Amino acid sequence: MPEQERRYFRDEVDVWTVICEEQHADGWQEVGRFWPVPLDPDTAILPAELRGLVIEGA
């Protein structure tokens, strides 16, 4: 079975929270939240699950 497409983006209310969603046949479903996620990934240590991923802005 192919891996689900995922997207990562910052919460509109709490920019320190990153939400992970997977695309399913009936739309996008939240599958995880990461907190706290620093705003500047160049100067901070990200959680291992988020390293190298594109996080859509707040």
Side-chain angles (χ1 to χ4, degrees):
M1 183 161 82
E3 190 172 320
Q4 300 288 349
E5 181 181 351
R6 288 186 171 191
R7 65 181 179 185
Y8 297 83
F9 58 94
R10 291 198 181 267
D11 188 294
E12 293 177 3
V13 176
D14 177 10
V15 296
W16 287 84
T17 299
V18 171
I19 300 170
C20 173
E21 292 183 334
E22 283 185 349
Q23 188 171 28
H24 295 270
D26 59 344
W28 290 95
Q29 295 178 348
E30 183 177 323
V31 294
R33 285 182 177 246
F34 301 91
W35 183 92
V37 178
L39 297 175
D40 185 359
D42 294 331
T43 61
I45 299 171
L46 292 174
E49 298 92 339
L50 299 179
R51 290 186 193 137
L53 297 173
V54 174
I55 299 172
E56 298 173 23

